[in-house]
Amino acid sequence: MESIVTTLRETEMPRARHPQPLRPGKSSRETMVPKTKSGTLRLLQLTDTHLFADAETRLLGQNTRRTFELVLELAFDSFWPADMILLTGDLVQDESPEGYQYLDRLLARLDTPCHCLPGNHDECSTMFGMFGSGAIDTSPTVDWGAWNLVLLDSTVPEDDHGHLDRSELELLDEALTEYPDSHALVCLHHQPIPVGSAWMDTMALDNPEDFFALIDRHPQVRGVLWGHVHQEFTGYRNDVLMLGSPSTCFQFLPGSGGFAVDTLTPGFRWLELHPNGRISTGIERIAAYPDPVDLTTDGY
C-alpha cells in the first residue's frame, strides 16, 4: 500500500513560500507577522530527526529518514489535520545542506505552517540559510489567536549543552511583554530542568535561573516545550507545564546514569492549545522499529 508520505515525496508540487521575514541567524531575527486565527491550536511537535544527506545512512541501526517518514505517516493517521508543525532541533546529524533540503521539500507539500528552532547537532547558518526561502519558518515568535509561541535558540557552538545568551533572553522578555493577554508556550531545544537521566542532564540548559526569572515574571506562560532528551517527560514548575518529547528516530532510556538506548519506538508529541489557556497533550509512537535498534552502543 502506497503511503501518504511516499505520495508527498514523489508528487511534483510547487514549494511553499512565506512572505514574512525569516530568521537569518542568532544576532538578527525578525518576528513573524501575526495571523488572525481563533479556536484551539492543534500543534504537532517533531523533534530530533537526525537526518543525513545520504538517504540510506543509518544511526544506531536506524535509517533516520525512514523512521521520520513512519512517524509522519502516523501523524496523518492519528492527528491530522494539524494547524502547525513545530520542529525543535537536531534536525540534521551531518550538518549537510542536502539533509535540510530533504526536510524542507517534504514538508513543503503539506500546506501546513512549519516552524523550527535549532539543536546542538544542527549547523545553524546552514539551517537558517536553507529554510530562509522555503517551507519552514525560522521566526522566533508566532502569534496565533489566544496564543503566543516563542521559539528560542539555546545552542552553543561546538558544544552539546544549552545556553540562552543575552539576546535570546531579551527576545523572550520582549515577546512576553508585548502580548501580556495571550497565553504563551515557550519552546527551546535543551531541557531547562533535570529529566532524571544523569548523563543527559549534564547537557541541559546551563543558565536556567536566568530563564525562569523571566518565566516567573510573566504569568501568562502556560508551558515550556523542548526536544533533545529523546524521551517523554511531563512535569510542572510553579503551575507551568514542562514537556520533553521523544525523537522520531531512537530513544534514550529514562532514568539512566550513562548513555543508554531504550526499546520504546519513535514518535511525536501532539498538543492542543485551548483559548482558555489549557494545554492538552499526548505522545503517539509507531508500532515497531523498521530495523533492529542498536542497544549496545555507548554513544554516537
Side-chain angles (χ1 to χ4, degrees), residues 48-52 59 88-96 100 117-127 153-161 189-190 199-200 203 228-230 249-250 252 259 299-300:
D48 296 84
T49 53
H50 292 277
L51 302 168
F52 291 88
L59 190 62
T88 50
D90 280 3
L91 305 181
V92 175
Q93 176 72 17
D94 63 357
E95 303 181 351
S96 64
Y100 293 108
L117 55 86
N120 51 288
H121 285 285
D122 288 304
E123 210 301 307
C124 291
S125 61
T126 301
M127 188 190 86
D153 180 353
S154 60
T155 60
V156 177
E158 306 301 324
D159 212 320
D160 289 329
H161 77 276
H189 181 67
H190 295 84
W199 72 277
M200 176 55 69
M203 297 179 284
H228 190 50
V229 296
H230 289 232
C249 50
F250 53 86
F252 295 145
F259 183 95
Y300 67 97

mmCIF file of all heavy atoms in Angstrom, residues 48-52 59 88-96 100 117-127 153-161 189-190 199-200 203 228-230 249-250 252 259 299-300:
data_model
loop_
_atom_site.group_PDB
_atom_site.id
_atom_site.type_symbol
_atom_site.label_atom_id
_atom_site.label_comp_id
_atom_site.label_asym_id
_atom_site.label_seq_id
_atom_site.Cartn_x
_atom_site.Cartn_y
_atom_site.Cartn_z
ATOM 1 N N ASP A 48 14.301 16.021 16.956
ATOM 2 C CA ASP A 48 15.483 15.157 16.938
ATOM 3 C C ASP A 48 15.383 14.114 15.827
ATOM 4 O O ASP A 48 15.465 12.906 16.060
ATOM 5 C CB ASP A 48 15.669 14.513 18.315
ATOM 6 C CG ASP A 48 15.955 15.552 19.390
ATOM 7 O OD1 ASP A 48 14.996 16.130 19.926
ATOM 8 O OD2 ASP A 48 17.137 15.813 19.654
ATOM 9 N N THR A 49 15.245 14.614 14.604
ATOM 10 C CA THR A 49 15.107 13.743 13.438
ATOM 11 C C THR A 49 16.446 13.146 12.995
ATOM 12 O O THR A 49 16.476 12.074 12.392
ATOM 13 C CB THR A 49 14.489 14.520 12.269
ATOM 14 O OG1 THR A 49 15.243 15.719 12.033
ATOM 15 C CG2 THR A 49 13.053 14.910 12.583
ATOM 16 N N HIS A 50 17.557 13.855 13.221
ATOM 17 C CA HIS A 50 18.912 13.362 12.942
ATOM 18 C C HIS A 50 19.038 12.823 11.511
ATOM 19 O O HIS A 50 19.493 11.689 11.283
ATOM 20 C CB HIS A 50 19.324 12.299 13.953
ATOM 21 C CG HIS A 50 19.508 12.827 15.344
ATOM 22 N ND1 HIS A 50 20.671 13.427 15.766
ATOM 23 C CD2 HIS A 50 18.648 12.862 16.399
ATOM 24 C CE1 HIS A 50 20.538 13.796 17.031
ATOM 25 N NE2 HIS A 50 19.309 13.473 17.438
ATOM 26 N N LEU A 51 18.662 13.639 10.555
ATOM 27 C CA LEU A 51 18.688 13.247 9.147
ATOM 28 C C LEU A 51 20.100 13.368 8.562
ATOM 29 O O LEU A 51 20.977 14.016 9.136
ATOM 30 C CB LEU A 51 17.712 14.117 8.351
ATOM 31 C CG LEU A 51 16.256 14.063 8.822
ATOM 32 C CD1 LEU A 51 15.445 15.160 8.171
ATOM 33 C CD2 LEU A 51 15.644 12.696 8.534
ATOM 34 N N PHE A 52 20.286 12.751 7.396
ATOM 35 C CA PHE A 52 21.571 12.771 6.696
ATOM 36 C C PHE A 52 21.351 13.156 5.235
ATOM 37 O O PHE A 52 20.248 13.033 4.686
ATOM 38 C CB PHE A 52 22.235 11.391 6.751
ATOM 39 C CG PHE A 52 22.703 10.978 8.112
ATOM 40 C CD1 PHE A 52 21.839 10.320 8.979
ATOM 41 C CD2 PHE A 52 24.003 11.224 8.523
ATOM 42 C CE1 PHE A 52 22.270 9.922 10.233
ATOM 43 C CE2 PHE A 52 24.440 10.833 9.777
ATOM 44 C CZ PHE A 52 23.572 10.182 10.641
ATOM 45 N N LEU A 59 21.775 5.433 11.780
ATOM 46 C CA LEU A 59 22.292 5.857 13.075
ATOM 47 C C LEU A 59 21.695 4.931 14.128
ATOM 48 O O LEU A 59 20.468 4.804 14.221
ATOM 49 C CB LEU A 59 21.908 7.315 13.343
ATOM 50 C CG LEU A 59 22.552 8.015 14.540
ATOM 51 C CD1 LEU A 59 24.063 8.094 14.388
ATOM 52 C CD2 LEU A 59 21.968 9.422 14.717
ATOM 53 N N THR A 88 11.770 20.952 16.798
ATOM 54 C CA THR A 88 12.510 21.510 17.931
ATOM 55 C C THR A 88 13.965 21.041 17.991
ATOM 56 O O THR A 88 14.480 20.714 19.052
ATOM 57 C CB THR A 88 11.778 21.212 19.253
ATOM 58 O OG1 THR A 88 11.452 19.826 19.327
ATOM 59 C CG2 THR A 88 10.513 22.020 19.372
ATOM 60 N N GLY A 89 14.628 21.019 16.846
ATOM 61 C CA GLY A 89 16.069 20.895 16.824
ATOM 62 C C GLY A 89 16.628 19.507 16.608
ATOM 63 O O GLY A 89 15.918 18.507 16.608
ATOM 64 N N ASP A 90 17.963 19.470 16.403
ATOM 65 C CA ASP A 90 18.696 18.265 15.997
ATOM 66 C C ASP A 90 18.044 17.655 14.768
ATOM 67 O O ASP A 90 17.739 16.454 14.709
ATOM 68 C CB ASP A 90 18.779 17.246 17.135
ATOM 69 C CG ASP A 90 19.882 17.590 18.133
ATOM 70 O OD1 ASP A 90 20.523 18.642 17.969
ATOM 71 O OD2 ASP A 90 20.095 16.802 19.065
ATOM 72 N N LEU A 91 17.869 18.486 13.762
ATOM 73 C CA LEU A 91 17.160 18.074 12.558
ATOM 74 C C LEU A 91 18.064 17.287 11.611
ATOM 75 O O LEU A 91 17.633 16.308 11.012
ATOM 76 C CB LEU A 91 16.577 19.299 11.852
ATOM 77 C CG LEU A 91 15.676 20.188 12.727
ATOM 78 C CD1 LEU A 91 15.136 21.361 11.912
ATOM 79 C CD2 LEU A 91 14.549 19.384 13.341
ATOM 80 N N VAL A 92 19.324 17.713 11.474
ATOM 81 C CA VAL A 92 20.248 17.075 10.533
ATOM 82 C C VAL A 92 21.538 16.720 11.270
ATOM 83 O O VAL A 92 22.227 17.591 11.807
ATOM 84 C CB VAL A 92 20.533 17.990 9.334
ATOM 85 C CG1 VAL A 92 21.581 17.369 8.415
ATOM 86 C CG2 VAL A 92 19.244 18.254 8.554
ATOM 87 N N GLN A 93 21.861 15.446 11.291
ATOM 88 C CA GLN A 93 23.009 14.947 12.048
ATOM 89 C C GLN A 93 24.332 15.332 11.420
ATOM 90 O O GLN A 93 25.293 15.662 12.130
ATOM 91 C CB GLN A 93 22.911 13.422 12.181
ATOM 92 C CG GLN A 93 24.066 12.757 12.865
ATOM 93 C CD GLN A 93 24.115 13.023 14.359
ATOM 94 O OE1 GLN A 93 23.133 13.449 14.945
ATOM 95 N NE2 GLN A 93 25.275 12.777 14.965
ATOM 96 N N ASP A 94 24.427 15.282 10.086
ATOM 97 C CA ASP A 94 25.706 15.523 9.419
ATOM 98 C C ASP A 94 25.873 16.962 8.947
ATOM 99 O O ASP A 94 26.799 17.265 8.194
ATOM 100 C CB ASP A 94 25.911 14.545 8.256
ATOM 101 C CG ASP A 94 24.864 14.704 7.151
ATOM 102 O OD1 ASP A 94 23.937 15.538 7.314
ATOM 103 O OD2 ASP A 94 24.961 13.978 6.141
ATOM 104 N N GLU A 95 24.963 17.849 9.367
ATOM 105 C CA GLU A 95 25.050 19.287 9.074
ATOM 106 C C GLU A 95 25.000 19.591 7.583
ATOM 107 O O GLU A 95 25.428 20.659 7.148
ATOM 108 C CB GLU A 95 26.309 19.892 9.705
ATOM 109 C CG GLU A 95 26.406 19.683 11.208
ATOM 110 C CD GLU A 95 27.638 20.308 11.823
ATOM 111 O OE1 GLU A 95 28.515 20.766 11.058
ATOM 112 O OE2 GLU A 95 27.737 20.355 13.059
ATOM 113 N N SER A 96 24.478 18.686 6.791
ATOM 114 C CA SER A 96 24.526 18.833 5.338
ATOM 115 C C SER A 96 23.370 19.674 4.802
ATOM 116 O O SER A 96 22.241 19.566 5.280
ATOM 117 C CB SER A 96 24.464 17.456 4.672
ATOM 118 O OG SER A 96 23.215 16.827 4.946
ATOM 119 N N TYR A 100 18.801 19.228 5.151
ATOM 120 C CA TYR A 100 17.789 20.266 5.367
ATOM 121 C C TYR A 100 16.890 20.409 4.134
ATOM 122 O O TYR A 100 15.688 20.657 4.253
ATOM 123 C CB TYR A 100 18.467 21.602 5.682
ATOM 124 C CG TYR A 100 19.198 21.608 6.997
ATOM 125 C CD1 TYR A 100 20.591 21.604 7.045
ATOM 126 C CD2 TYR A 100 18.501 21.599 8.208
ATOM 127 C CE1 TYR A 100 21.271 21.604 8.253
ATOM 128 C CE2 TYR A 100 19.166 21.598 9.419
ATOM 129 C CZ TYR A 100 20.556 21.600 9.438
ATOM 130 O OH TYR A 100 21.221 21.584 10.635
ATOM 131 N N LEU A 117 13.352 25.541 15.359
ATOM 132 C CA LEU A 117 14.453 26.113 16.113
ATOM 133 C C LEU A 117 15.602 25.112 16.066
ATOM 134 O O LEU A 117 15.387 23.926 15.804
ATOM 135 C CB LEU A 117 14.027 26.433 17.549
ATOM 136 C CG LEU A 117 13.422 25.315 18.395
ATOM 137 C CD1 LEU A 117 14.479 24.479 19.100
ATOM 138 C CD2 LEU A 117 12.469 25.898 19.428
ATOM 139 N N PRO A 118 16.840 25.534 16.295
ATOM 140 C CA PRO A 118 17.986 24.636 16.138
ATOM 141 C C PRO A 118 18.312 23.851 17.397
ATOM 142 O O PRO A 118 17.959 24.237 18.515
ATOM 143 C CB PRO A 118 19.125 25.597 15.791
ATOM 144 C CG PRO A 118 18.764 26.851 16.531
ATOM 145 C CD PRO A 118 17.256 26.942 16.469
ATOM 146 N N GLY A 119 19.024 22.726 17.191
ATOM 147 C CA GLY A 119 19.561 21.937 18.289
ATOM 148 C C GLY A 119 21.070 21.860 18.194
ATOM 149 O O GLY A 119 21.682 22.370 17.249
ATOM 150 N N ASN A 120 21.689 21.199 19.156
ATOM 151 C CA ASN A 120 23.148 21.168 19.221
ATOM 152 C C ASN A 120 23.787 20.406 18.067
ATOM 153 O O ASN A 120 24.966 20.621 17.760
ATOM 154 C CB ASN A 120 23.609 20.564 20.553
ATOM 155 C CG ASN A 120 22.957 19.238 20.875
ATOM 156 O OD1 ASN A 120 21.783 19.196 21.212
ATOM 157 N ND2 ASN A 120 23.708 18.150 20.786
ATOM 158 N N HIS A 121 23.055 19.520 17.394
ATOM 159 C CA HIS A 121 23.607 18.814 16.245
ATOM 160 C C HIS A 121 23.374 19.564 14.933
ATOM 161 O O HIS A 121 23.867 19.126 13.882
ATOM 162 C CB HIS A 121 23.023 17.402 16.145
ATOM 163 C CG HIS A 121 23.582 16.452 17.153
ATOM 164 N ND1 HIS A 121 24.847 15.906 17.045
ATOM 165 C CD2 HIS A 121 23.059 15.950 18.299
ATOM 166 C CE1 HIS A 121 25.075 15.118 18.072
ATOM 167 N NE2 HIS A 121 24.006 15.123 18.851
ATOM 168 N N ASP A 122 22.638 20.647 14.967
ATOM 169 C CA ASP A 122 22.387 21.417 13.745
ATOM 170 C C ASP A 122 23.539 22.378 13.461
ATOM 171 O O ASP A 122 24.202 22.871 14.381
ATOM 172 C CB ASP A 122 21.085 22.216 13.877
ATOM 173 C CG ASP A 122 19.856 21.336 13.812
ATOM 174 O OD1 ASP A 122 19.710 20.601 12.822
ATOM 175 O OD2 ASP A 122 19.036 21.387 14.752
ATOM 176 N N GLU A 123 23.745 22.649 12.178
ATOM 177 C CA GLU A 123 24.647 23.712 11.754
ATOM 178 C C GLU A 123 23.759 24.926 11.484
ATOM 179 O O GLU A 123 23.059 24.981 10.467
ATOM 180 C CB GLU A 123 25.406 23.290 10.498
ATOM 181 C CG GLU A 123 26.794 23.896 10.361
ATOM 182 C CD GLU A 123 26.791 25.404 10.327
ATOM 183 O OE1 GLU A 123 26.052 25.987 9.500
ATOM 184 O OE2 GLU A 123 27.533 26.014 11.124
ATOM 185 N N CYS A 124 23.774 25.887 12.408
ATOM 186 C CA CYS A 124 22.750 26.934 12.396
ATOM 187 C C CYS A 124 22.761 27.771 11.117
ATOM 188 O O CYS A 124 21.701 28.067 10.551
ATOM 189 C CB CYS A 124 22.909 27.830 13.622
ATOM 190 S SG CYS A 124 22.499 27.016 15.187
ATOM 191 N N SER A 125 23.938 28.173 10.646
ATOM 192 C CA SER A 125 23.974 29.018 9.452
ATOM 193 C C SER A 125 23.427 28.268 8.246
ATOM 194 O O SER A 125 22.708 28.850 7.420
ATOM 195 C CB SER A 125 25.398 29.506 9.187
ATOM 196 O OG SER A 125 26.279 28.413 8.971
ATOM 197 N N THR A 126 23.734 26.984 8.137
ATOM 198 C CA THR A 126 23.186 26.185 7.034
ATOM 199 C C THR A 126 21.679 26.035 7.180
ATOM 200 O O THR A 126 20.932 26.188 6.210
ATOM 201 C CB THR A 126 23.847 24.797 7.011
ATOM 202 O OG1 THR A 126 25.251 24.937 6.862
ATOM 203 C CG2 THR A 126 23.304 23.955 5.857
ATOM 204 N N MET A 127 21.221 25.746 8.391
ATOM 205 C CA MET A 127 19.791 25.561 8.617
ATOM 206 C C MET A 127 19.012 26.825 8.278
ATOM 207 O O MET A 127 18.017 26.787 7.539
ATOM 208 C CB MET A 127 19.535 25.159 10.069
ATOM 209 C CG MET A 127 18.094 24.766 10.339
ATOM 210 S SD MET A 127 17.709 24.558 12.101
ATOM 211 C CE MET A 127 17.318 26.252 12.514
ATOM 212 N N ASP A 153 16.690 29.988 20.621
ATOM 213 C CA ASP A 153 17.898 29.297 20.180
ATOM 214 C C ASP A 153 18.792 29.100 21.402
ATOM 215 O O ASP A 153 19.413 30.037 21.903
ATOM 216 C CB ASP A 153 18.605 30.136 19.122
ATOM 217 C CG ASP A 153 19.884 29.494 18.602
ATOM 218 O OD1 ASP A 153 20.306 28.455 19.155
ATOM 219 O OD2 ASP A 153 20.475 30.042 17.650
ATOM 220 N N SER A 154 18.852 27.855 21.894
ATOM 221 C CA SER A 154 19.653 27.547 23.085
ATOM 222 C C SER A 154 20.982 26.893 22.733
ATOM 223 O O SER A 154 21.666 26.365 23.617
ATOM 224 C CB SER A 154 18.859 26.636 24.031
ATOM 225 O OG SER A 154 18.512 25.407 23.399
ATOM 226 N N THR A 155 21.383 26.917 21.469
ATOM 227 C CA THR A 155 22.584 26.203 21.049
ATOM 228 C C THR A 155 23.853 26.967 21.430
ATOM 229 O O THR A 155 23.872 28.199 21.513
ATOM 230 C CB THR A 155 22.589 25.954 19.537
ATOM 231 O OG1 THR A 155 22.539 27.207 18.833
ATOM 232 C CG2 THR A 155 21.402 25.100 19.131
ATOM 233 N N VAL A 156 24.909 26.201 21.659
ATOM 234 C CA VAL A 156 26.248 26.719 21.934
ATOM 235 C C VAL A 156 27.171 26.134 20.869
ATOM 236 O O VAL A 156 27.254 24.905 20.743
ATOM 237 C CB VAL A 156 26.733 26.314 23.332
ATOM 238 C CG1 VAL A 156 28.164 26.802 23.568
ATOM 239 C CG2 VAL A 156 25.792 26.852 24.403
ATOM 240 N N PRO A 157 27.858 26.955 20.077
ATOM 241 C CA PRO A 157 28.710 26.408 19.015
ATOM 242 C C PRO A 157 29.716 25.391 19.549
ATOM 243 O O PRO A 157 30.361 25.611 20.579
ATOM 244 C CB PRO A 157 29.422 27.653 18.460
ATOM 245 C CG PRO A 157 28.477 28.778 18.760
ATOM 246 C CD PRO A 157 27.841 28.428 20.083
ATOM 247 N N GLU A 158 29.803 24.266 18.866
ATOM 248 C CA GLU A 158 30.778 23.213 19.170
ATOM 249 C C GLU A 158 30.590 22.597 20.550
ATOM 250 O O GLU A 158 31.541 22.051 21.125
ATOM 251 C CB GLU A 158 32.206 23.764 19.041
ATOM 252 C CG GLU A 158 32.514 24.426 17.720
ATOM 253 C CD GLU A 158 32.343 23.494 16.523
ATOM 254 O OE1 GLU A 158 32.650 22.294 16.673
ATOM 255 O OE2 GLU A 158 31.904 23.969 15.460
ATOM 256 N N ASP A 159 29.374 22.654 21.092
ATOM 257 C CA ASP A 159 29.126 22.039 22.391
ATOM 258 C C ASP A 159 27.729 21.457 22.417
ATOM 259 O O ASP A 159 26.862 21.840 21.622
ATOM 260 C CB ASP A 159 29.282 23.061 23.515
ATOM 261 C CG ASP A 159 29.808 22.436 24.805
ATOM 262 O OD1 ASP A 159 29.359 21.308 25.120
ATOM 263 O OD2 ASP A 159 30.641 23.053 25.482
ATOM 264 N N ASP A 160 27.497 20.505 23.329
ATOM 265 C CA ASP A 160 26.207 19.816 23.390
ATOM 266 C C ASP A 160 25.256 20.407 24.427
ATOM 267 O O ASP A 160 24.056 20.146 24.371
ATOM 268 C CB ASP A 160 26.415 18.324 23.705
ATOM 269 C CG ASP A 160 27.019 17.561 22.536
ATOM 270 O OD1 ASP A 160 26.764 17.942 21.383
ATOM 271 O OD2 ASP A 160 27.755 16.588 22.786
ATOM 272 N N HIS A 161 25.774 21.154 25.393
ATOM 273 C CA HIS A 161 24.884 21.732 26.390
ATOM 274 C C HIS A 161 24.205 22.970 25.821
ATOM 275 O O HIS A 161 24.543 23.448 24.736
ATOM 276 C CB HIS A 161 25.662 22.081 27.670
ATOM 277 C CG HIS A 161 26.471 23.341 27.561
ATOM 278 N ND1 HIS A 161 27.741 23.377 27.012
ATOM 279 C CD2 HIS A 161 26.181 24.618 27.926
ATOM 280 C CE1 HIS A 161 28.199 24.607 27.041
ATOM 281 N NE2 HIS A 161 27.278 25.391 27.594
ATOM 282 N N HIS A 189 15.426 23.903 22.535
ATOM 283 C CA HIS A 189 15.900 22.533 22.318
ATOM 284 C C HIS A 189 16.295 21.840 23.617
ATOM 285 O O HIS A 189 15.958 20.673 23.834
ATOM 286 C CB HIS A 189 17.093 22.519 21.363
ATOM 287 C CG HIS A 189 17.610 21.147 21.070
ATOM 288 N ND1 HIS A 189 16.877 20.211 20.367
ATOM 289 C CD2 HIS A 189 18.772 20.524 21.427
ATOM 290 C CE1 HIS A 189 17.566 19.084 20.274
ATOM 291 N NE2 HIS A 189 18.718 19.247 20.910
ATOM 292 N N HIS A 190 17.018 22.539 24.477
ATOM 293 C CA HIS A 190 17.589 21.930 25.681
ATOM 294 C C HIS A 190 16.633 22.007 26.866
ATOM 295 O O HIS A 190 15.944 23.010 27.050
ATOM 296 C CB HIS A 190 18.901 22.617 26.047
ATOM 297 C CG HIS A 190 19.976 22.435 25.036
ATOM 298 N ND1 HIS A 190 20.086 23.245 23.921
ATOM 299 C CD2 HIS A 190 20.989 21.530 24.958
ATOM 300 C CE1 HIS A 190 21.132 22.856 23.202
ATOM 301 N NE2 HIS A 190 21.698 21.817 23.804
ATOM 302 N N TRP A 199 23.406 11.485 32.778
ATOM 303 C CA TRP A 199 24.287 11.869 31.682
ATOM 304 C C TRP A 199 23.643 12.919 30.785
ATOM 305 O O TRP A 199 24.308 13.865 30.349
ATOM 306 C CB TRP A 199 24.688 10.631 30.874
ATOM 307 C CG TRP A 199 23.563 10.079 30.026
ATOM 308 C CD1 TRP A 199 22.574 9.252 30.427
ATOM 309 C CD2 TRP A 199 23.344 10.345 28.641
ATOM 310 N NE1 TRP A 199 21.729 8.974 29.378
ATOM 311 C CE2 TRP A 199 22.182 9.632 28.267
ATOM 312 C CE3 TRP A 199 24.013 11.103 27.674
ATOM 313 C CZ2 TRP A 199 21.665 9.672 26.973
ATOM 314 C CZ3 TRP A 199 23.503 11.139 26.381
ATOM 315 C CH2 TRP A 199 22.352 10.426 26.048
ATOM 316 N N MET A 200 22.344 12.781 30.536
ATOM 317 C CA MET A 200 21.646 13.749 29.697
ATOM 318 C C MET A 200 21.515 15.103 30.385
ATOM 319 O O MET A 200 21.579 16.158 29.745
ATOM 320 C CB MET A 200 20.271 13.194 29.310
ATOM 321 C CG MET A 200 19.395 14.150 28.506
ATOM 322 S SD MET A 200 20.158 14.788 26.992
ATOM 323 C CE MET A 200 20.207 13.293 25.993
ATOM 324 N N MET A 203 23.936 17.895 29.872
ATOM 325 C CA MET A 203 23.833 18.630 28.604
ATOM 326 C C MET A 203 22.545 19.448 28.553
ATOM 327 O O MET A 203 21.980 19.667 27.499
ATOM 328 C CB MET A 203 23.906 17.657 27.431
ATOM 329 C CG MET A 203 25.220 16.908 27.329
ATOM 330 S SD MET A 203 25.268 15.745 25.947
ATOM 331 C CE MET A 203 24.241 14.429 26.608
ATOM 332 N N HIS A 228 15.664 17.280 22.446
ATOM 333 C CA HIS A 228 16.982 16.949 22.984
ATOM 334 C C HIS A 228 17.045 15.649 23.775
ATOM 335 O O HIS A 228 18.004 14.889 23.635
ATOM 336 C CB HIS A 228 17.464 18.115 23.861
ATOM 337 C CG HIS A 228 18.905 18.031 24.298
ATOM 338 N ND1 HIS A 228 19.936 17.788 23.413
ATOM 339 C CD2 HIS A 228 19.483 18.186 25.523
ATOM 340 C CE1 HIS A 228 21.083 17.791 24.084
ATOM 341 N NE2 HIS A 228 20.839 18.023 25.355
ATOM 342 N N VAL A 229 16.043 15.356 24.608
ATOM 343 C CA VAL A 229 16.169 14.265 25.583
ATOM 344 C C VAL A 229 15.771 12.905 25.028
ATOM 345 O O VAL A 229 15.983 11.886 25.688
ATOM 346 C CB VAL A 229 15.361 14.574 26.859
ATOM 347 C CG1 VAL A 229 15.931 15.796 27.557
ATOM 348 C CG2 VAL A 229 13.875 14.763 26.557
ATOM 349 N N HIS A 230 15.153 12.857 23.843
ATOM 350 C CA HIS A 230 14.772 11.586 23.212
ATOM 351 C C HIS A 230 13.930 10.720 24.152
ATOM 352 O O HIS A 230 14.063 9.489 24.165
ATOM 353 C CB HIS A 230 16.003 10.785 22.777
ATOM 354 C CG HIS A 230 16.741 11.352 21.606
ATOM 355 N ND1 HIS A 230 17.058 10.598 20.497
ATOM 356 C CD2 HIS A 230 17.240 12.586 21.370
ATOM 357 C CE1 HIS A 230 17.725 11.346 19.627
ATOM 358 N NE2 HIS A 230 17.841 12.566 20.144
ATOM 359 N N CYS A 249 13.556 9.167 15.781
ATOM 360 C CA CYS A 249 14.406 8.007 15.463
ATOM 361 C C CYS A 249 14.562 7.135 16.699
ATOM 362 O O CYS A 249 13.608 6.485 17.110
ATOM 363 C CB CYS A 249 15.734 8.426 14.828
ATOM 364 S SG CYS A 249 16.664 9.699 15.682
ATOM 365 N N PHE A 250 15.706 7.108 17.365
ATOM 366 C CA PHE A 250 15.905 6.242 18.529
ATOM 367 C C PHE A 250 15.608 7.000 19.818
ATOM 368 O O PHE A 250 15.596 8.238 19.850
ATOM 369 C CB PHE A 250 17.334 5.691 18.547
ATOM 370 C CG PHE A 250 18.380 6.773 18.434
ATOM 371 C CD1 PHE A 250 18.839 7.438 19.553
ATOM 372 C CD2 PHE A 250 18.888 7.121 17.192
ATOM 373 C CE1 PHE A 250 19.783 8.444 19.449
ATOM 374 C CE2 PHE A 250 19.838 8.123 17.076
ATOM 375 C CZ PHE A 250 20.284 8.793 18.206
ATOM 376 N N PHE A 252 16.231 7.464 24.206
ATOM 377 C CA PHE A 252 17.131 7.264 25.340
ATOM 378 C C PHE A 252 16.355 6.682 26.512
ATOM 379 O O PHE A 252 15.189 7.009 26.729
ATOM 380 C CB PHE A 252 17.791 8.571 25.747
ATOM 381 C CG PHE A 252 18.713 9.151 24.700
ATOM 382 C CD1 PHE A 252 18.811 10.516 24.527
ATOM 383 C CD2 PHE A 252 19.488 8.326 23.897
ATOM 384 C CE1 PHE A 252 19.652 11.060 23.572
ATOM 385 C CE2 PHE A 252 20.339 8.855 22.935
ATOM 386 C CZ PHE A 252 20.417 10.227 22.770
ATOM 387 N N PHE A 259 24.919 6.792 29.060
ATOM 388 C CA PHE A 259 24.264 6.661 27.765
ATOM 389 C C PHE A 259 23.608 5.290 27.645
ATOM 390 O O PHE A 259 24.260 4.260 27.843
ATOM 391 C CB PHE A 259 25.278 6.853 26.638
ATOM 392 C CG PHE A 259 24.683 6.805 25.263
ATOM 393 C CD1 PHE A 259 24.311 7.963 24.617
ATOM 394 C CD2 PHE A 259 24.494 5.593 24.610
ATOM 395 C CE1 PHE A 259 23.760 7.929 23.338
ATOM 396 C CE2 PHE A 259 23.953 5.538 23.343
ATOM 397 C CZ PHE A 259 23.578 6.712 22.707
ATOM 398 N N GLY A 299 27.357 5.482 22.547
ATOM 399 C CA GLY A 299 27.314 6.870 22.080
ATOM 400 C C GLY A 299 27.161 6.937 20.579
ATOM 401 O O GLY A 299 27.106 5.920 19.898
ATOM 402 N N TYR A 300 27.110 8.158 20.072
ATOM 403 C CA TYR A 300 27.013 8.351 18.612
ATOM 404 C C TYR A 300 27.553 9.718 18.247
ATOM 405 O O TYR A 300 27.752 10.560 19.111
ATOM 406 C CB TYR A 300 25.554 8.195 18.142
ATOM 407 C CG TYR A 300 24.607 9.267 18.610
ATOM 408 C CD1 TYR A 300 24.304 10.351 17.781
ATOM 409 C CD2 TYR A 300 24.029 9.224 19.872
ATOM 410 C CE1 TYR A 300 23.434 11.345 18.211
ATOM 411 C CE2 TYR A 300 23.161 10.207 20.292
ATOM 412 C CZ TYR A 300 22.880 11.278 19.469
ATOM 413 O OH TYR A 300 22.008 12.271 19.894
#
